[in-house]
PDB file of all heavy atoms in Angstrom:
ATOM      1  N   ALA B  19      30.310  47.274 -17.921  1.00  0.00           N
ATOM      2  CA  ALA B  19      31.682  46.809 -18.093  1.00  0.00           C
ATOM      3  C   ALA B  19      31.694  45.301 -18.275  1.00  0.00           C
ATOM      4  O   ALA B  19      32.414  44.764 -19.127  1.00  0.00           O
ATOM      5  CB  ALA B  19      32.528  47.228 -16.893  1.00  0.00           C
ATOM      6  N   HIS B  41      42.953  46.129 -34.834  1.00  0.00           N
ATOM      7  CA  HIS B  41      41.513  46.214 -34.627  1.00  0.00           C
ATOM      8  C   HIS B  41      41.155  47.009 -33.382  1.00  0.00           C
ATOM      9  O   HIS B  41      40.212  47.797 -33.374  1.00  0.00           O
ATOM     10  CB  HIS B  41      40.909  44.815 -34.564  1.00  0.00           C
ATOM     11  CG  HIS B  41      39.425  44.842 -34.435  1.00  0.00           C
ATOM     12  ND1 HIS B  41      38.774  44.379 -33.322  1.00  0.00           N
ATOM     13  CD2 HIS B  41      38.473  45.322 -35.269  1.00  0.00           C
ATOM     14  CE1 HIS B  41      37.474  44.569 -33.485  1.00  0.00           C
ATOM     15  NE2 HIS B  41      37.263  45.127 -34.650  1.00  0.00           N
ATOM     16  N   VAL B  82      31.670  74.233 -42.918  1.00  0.00           N
ATOM     17  CA  VAL B  82      31.946  75.666 -43.036  1.00  0.00           C
ATOM     18  C   VAL B  82      33.406  75.953 -42.696  1.00  0.00           C
ATOM     19  O   VAL B  82      34.099  76.699 -43.398  1.00  0.00           O
ATOM     20  CB  VAL B  82      30.998  76.488 -42.125  1.00  0.00           C
ATOM     21  CG1 VAL B  82      31.451  77.938 -42.030  1.00  0.00           C
ATOM     22  CG2 VAL B  82      29.578  76.399 -42.652  1.00  0.00           C
ATOM     23  N   SER B  84      36.000  73.849 -42.845  1.00  0.00           N
ATOM     24  CA  SER B  84      36.913  73.296 -43.841  1.00  0.00           C
ATOM     25  C   SER B  84      36.894  74.137 -45.107  1.00  0.00           C
ATOM     26  O   SER B  84      37.937  74.487 -45.668  1.00  0.00           O
ATOM     27  CB  SER B  84      36.518  71.856 -44.161  1.00  0.00           C
ATOM     28  OG  SER B  84      36.442  71.101 -42.980  1.00  0.00           O
ATOM     29  N   VAL B  90      40.931  80.256 -47.795  1.00  0.00           N
ATOM     30  CA  VAL B  90      42.021  81.179 -47.464  1.00  0.00           C
ATOM     31  C   VAL B  90      43.376  80.494 -47.587  1.00  0.00           C
ATOM     32  O   VAL B  90      44.401  81.062 -47.200  1.00  0.00           O
ATOM     33  CB  VAL B  90      41.860  81.781 -46.044  1.00  0.00           C
ATOM     34  CG1 VAL B  90      40.572  82.557 -45.947  1.00  0.00           C
ATOM     35  CG2 VAL B  90      41.929  80.699 -44.975  1.00  0.00           C
ATOM     36  N   GLU B  91      43.370  79.251 -48.084  1.00  0.00           N
ATOM     37  CA  GLU B  91      44.607  78.475 -48.279  1.00  0.00           C
ATOM     38  C   GLU B  91      45.434  78.406 -47.011  1.00  0.00           C
ATOM     39  O   GLU B  91      46.636  78.651 -46.991  1.00  0.00           O
ATOM     40  CB  GLU B  91      45.416  79.048 -49.451  1.00  0.00           C
ATOM     41  CG  GLU B  91      44.700  78.834 -50.756  1.00  0.00           C
ATOM     42  CD  GLU B  91      45.426  79.476 -51.924  1.00  0.00           C
ATOM     43  OE1 GLU B  91      46.628  79.759 -51.759  1.00  0.00           O
ATOM     44  OE2 GLU B  91      44.783  79.666 -52.963  1.00  0.00           O
ATOM     45  N   LEU B 113      21.757  78.863 -30.209  1.00  0.00           N
ATOM     46  CA  LEU B 113      20.472  79.087 -30.881  1.00  0.00           C
ATOM     47  C   LEU B 113      19.398  78.166 -30.279  1.00  0.00           C
ATOM     48  O   LEU B 113      18.270  78.586 -29.991  1.00  0.00           O
ATOM     49  CB  LEU B 113      20.637  78.803 -32.384  1.00  0.00           C
ATOM     50  CG  LEU B 113      19.450  79.097 -33.279  1.00  0.00           C
ATOM     51  CD1 LEU B 113      19.239  80.588 -33.408  1.00  0.00           C
ATOM     52  CD2 LEU B 113      19.648  78.469 -34.657  1.00  0.00           C
ATOM     53  N   PHE B 117      15.840  79.316 -28.063  1.00  0.00           N
ATOM     54  CA  PHE B 117      14.448  78.895 -28.240  1.00  0.00           C
ATOM     55  C   PHE B 117      13.916  78.186 -26.993  1.00  0.00           C
ATOM     56  O   PHE B 117      12.771  78.383 -26.592  1.00  0.00           O
ATOM     57  CB  PHE B 117      14.313  77.981 -29.460  1.00  0.00           C
ATOM     58  CG  PHE B 117      14.341  78.730 -30.757  1.00  0.00           C
ATOM     59  CD1 PHE B 117      15.443  78.687 -31.589  1.00  0.00           C
ATOM     60  CD2 PHE B 117      13.245  79.509 -31.138  1.00  0.00           C
ATOM     61  CE1 PHE B 117      15.469  79.387 -32.776  1.00  0.00           C
ATOM     62  CE2 PHE B 117      13.268  80.207 -32.325  1.00  0.00           C
ATOM     63  CZ  PHE B 117      14.382  80.151 -33.153  1.00  0.00           C
ATOM     64  N   ARG B 137      20.795  72.158 -41.373  1.00  0.00           N
ATOM     65  CA  ARG B 137      21.256  71.310 -42.476  1.00  0.00           C
ATOM     66  C   ARG B 137      20.759  71.864 -43.816  1.00  0.00           C
ATOM     67  O   ARG B 137      21.493  71.879 -44.807  1.00  0.00           O
ATOM     68  CB  ARG B 137      20.750  69.884 -42.266  1.00  0.00           C
ATOM     69  CG  ARG B 137      21.269  68.937 -43.315  1.00  0.00           C
ATOM     70  CD  ARG B 137      21.509  67.567 -42.739  1.00  0.00           C
ATOM     71  NE  ARG B 137      22.175  66.711 -43.711  1.00  0.00           N
ATOM     72  CZ  ARG B 137      21.524  65.891 -44.517  1.00  0.00           C
ATOM     73  NH1 ARG B 137      20.200  65.806 -44.445  1.00  0.00           N
ATOM     74  NH2 ARG B 137      22.186  65.153 -45.378  1.00  0.00           N
ATOM     75  N   PRO B 153      42.819  71.327 -46.056  1.00  0.00           N
ATOM     76  CA  PRO B 153      44.064  71.986 -45.637  1.00  0.00           C
ATOM     77  C   PRO B 153      45.091  70.948 -45.194  1.00  0.00           C
ATOM     78  O   PRO B 153      44.742  69.907 -44.635  1.00  0.00           O
ATOM     79  CB  PRO B 153      43.628  72.849 -44.457  1.00  0.00           C
ATOM     80  CG  PRO B 153      42.189  73.135 -44.721  1.00  0.00           C
ATOM     81  CD  PRO B 153      41.639  71.930 -45.414  1.00  0.00           C
ATOM     82  N   ARG B 158      48.245  66.021 -42.040  1.00  0.00           N
ATOM     83  CA  ARG B 158      49.348  65.798 -41.085  1.00  0.00           C
ATOM     84  C   ARG B 158      48.820  65.178 -39.800  1.00  0.00           C
ATOM     85  O   ARG B 158      49.371  64.235 -39.259  1.00  0.00           O
ATOM     86  CB  ARG B 158      50.035  67.135 -40.773  1.00  0.00           C
ATOM     87  CG  ARG B 158      50.965  67.634 -41.866  1.00  0.00           C
ATOM     88  CD  ARG B 158      51.978  68.633 -41.285  1.00  0.00           C
ATOM     89  NE  ARG B 158      51.376  69.787 -40.633  1.00  0.00           N
ATOM     90  CZ  ARG B 158      50.990  70.885 -41.291  1.00  0.00           C
ATOM     91  NH1 ARG B 158      51.151  70.977 -42.597  1.00  0.00           N
ATOM     92  NH2 ARG B 158      50.462  71.893 -40.639  1.00  0.00           N
ATOM     93  N   LEU B 162      49.348  61.164 -38.087  1.00  0.00           N
ATOM     94  CA  LEU B 162      50.049  61.075 -36.814  1.00  0.00           C
ATOM     95  C   LEU B 162      49.586  59.837 -36.044  1.00  0.00           C
ATOM     96  O   LEU B 162      48.389  59.608 -35.891  1.00  0.00           O
ATOM     97  CB  LEU B 162      49.717  62.330 -36.005  1.00  0.00           C
ATOM     98  CG  LEU B 162      50.690  62.781 -34.925  1.00  0.00           C
ATOM     99  CD1 LEU B 162      52.043  63.108 -35.539  1.00  0.00           C
ATOM    100  CD2 LEU B 162      50.111  64.006 -34.243  1.00  0.00           C
ATOM    101  N   SER B 178      45.682  56.648 -33.200  1.00  0.00           N
ATOM    102  CA  SER B 178      45.530  58.027 -33.628  1.00  0.00           C
ATOM    103  C   SER B 178      45.296  58.934 -32.426  1.00  0.00           C
ATOM    104  O   SER B 178      44.503  58.614 -31.550  1.00  0.00           O
ATOM    105  CB  SER B 178      44.341  58.142 -34.581  1.00  0.00           C
ATOM    106  OG  SER B 178      43.949  59.482 -34.666  1.00  0.00           O
ATOM    107  N   VAL B 183      41.469  63.948 -28.048  1.00  0.00           N
ATOM    108  CA  VAL B 183      40.457  65.013 -28.033  1.00  0.00           C
ATOM    109  C   VAL B 183      39.249  64.555 -27.212  1.00  0.00           C
ATOM    110  O   VAL B 183      38.721  65.273 -26.361  1.00  0.00           O
ATOM    111  CB  VAL B 183      40.009  65.361 -29.471  1.00  0.00           C
ATOM    112  CG1 VAL B 183      38.916  66.422 -29.456  1.00  0.00           C
ATOM    113  CG2 VAL B 183      41.194  65.827 -30.287  1.00  0.00           C
ATOM    114  N   LEU B 193      34.414  66.580 -14.818  1.00  0.00           N
ATOM    115  CA  LEU B 193      34.746  67.510 -13.737  1.00  0.00           C
ATOM    116  C   LEU B 193      33.665  68.574 -13.588  1.00  0.00           C
ATOM    117  O   LEU B 193      33.244  68.906 -12.484  1.00  0.00           O
ATOM    118  CB  LEU B 193      36.104  68.179 -13.999  1.00  0.00           C
ATOM    119  CG  LEU B 193      37.312  67.257 -13.874  1.00  0.00           C
ATOM    120  CD1 LEU B 193      38.592  67.989 -14.246  1.00  0.00           C
ATOM    121  CD2 LEU B 193      37.425  66.715 -12.445  1.00  0.00           C
ATOM    122  N   GLY B 208      17.389  69.137 -14.180  1.00  0.00           N
ATOM    123  CA  GLY B 208      16.751  67.933 -14.702  1.00  0.00           C
ATOM    124  C   GLY B 208      15.839  67.274 -13.675  1.00  0.00           C
ATOM    125  O   GLY B 208      14.851  66.645 -14.016  1.00  0.00           O
ATOM    126  N   ARG B 225      20.755  76.549 -19.209  1.00  0.00           N
ATOM    127  CA  ARG B 225      20.374  75.992 -20.515  1.00  0.00           C
ATOM    128  C   ARG B 225      21.360  76.429 -21.597  1.00  0.00           C
ATOM    129  O   ARG B 225      21.674  75.659 -22.505  1.00  0.00           O
ATOM    130  CB  ARG B 225      18.961  76.431 -20.891  1.00  0.00           C
ATOM    131  CG  ARG B 225      17.903  75.849 -20.001  1.00  0.00           C
ATOM    132  CD  ARG B 225      16.628  75.566 -20.801  1.00  0.00           C
ATOM    133  NE  ARG B 225      15.501  75.319 -19.939  1.00  0.00           N
ATOM    134  CZ  ARG B 225      15.205  74.116 -19.447  1.00  0.00           C
ATOM    135  NH1 ARG B 225      15.958  73.080 -19.759  1.00  0.00           N
ATOM    136  NH2 ARG B 225      14.163  73.951 -18.665  1.00  0.00           N
ATOM    137  N   GLY B 276      17.965  64.434 -15.062  1.00  0.00           N
ATOM    138  CA  GLY B 276      18.485  64.378 -13.712  1.00  0.00           C
ATOM    139  C   GLY B 276      19.443  63.250 -13.426  1.00  0.00           C
ATOM    140  O   GLY B 276      19.983  63.180 -12.331  1.00  0.00           O
ATOM    141  N   VAL B 280      29.395  60.422 -16.904  1.00  0.00           N
ATOM    142  CA  VAL B 280      30.327  60.359 -18.032  1.00  0.00           C
ATOM    143  C   VAL B 280      30.851  58.934 -18.190  1.00  0.00           C
ATOM    144  O   VAL B 280      30.921  58.409 -19.307  1.00  0.00           O
ATOM    145  CB  VAL B 280      31.481  61.362 -17.829  1.00  0.00           C
ATOM    146  CG1 VAL B 280      32.580  61.114 -18.847  1.00  0.00           C
ATOM    147  CG2 VAL B 280      30.945  62.782 -17.960  1.00  0.00           C
ATOM    148  N   LEU B 316      15.272  50.743 -27.313  1.00  0.00           N
ATOM    149  CA  LEU B 316      13.999  50.451 -26.663  1.00  0.00           C
ATOM    150  C   LEU B 316      14.218  49.756 -25.324  1.00  0.00           C
ATOM    151  O   LEU B 316      13.616  50.127 -24.315  1.00  0.00           O
ATOM    152  CB  LEU B 316      13.132  49.578 -27.576  1.00  0.00           C
ATOM    153  CG  LEU B 316      12.556  50.317 -28.782  1.00  0.00           C
ATOM    154  CD1 LEU B 316      11.841  49.358 -29.703  1.00  0.00           C
ATOM    155  CD2 LEU B 316      11.592  51.399 -28.307  1.00  0.00           C
TER     156      LEU B 316
END
Side-chain angles (χ1 to χ4, degrees):
Chain B
H41 183 245
V82 169
S84 306
V90 299
E91 292 176 19
L113 185 71
F117 283 107
R137 184 146 188 266
R158 283 201 302 275
L162 204 61
S178 162
V183 178
L193 290 176
R225 293 215 194 273
V280 169
L316 288 174

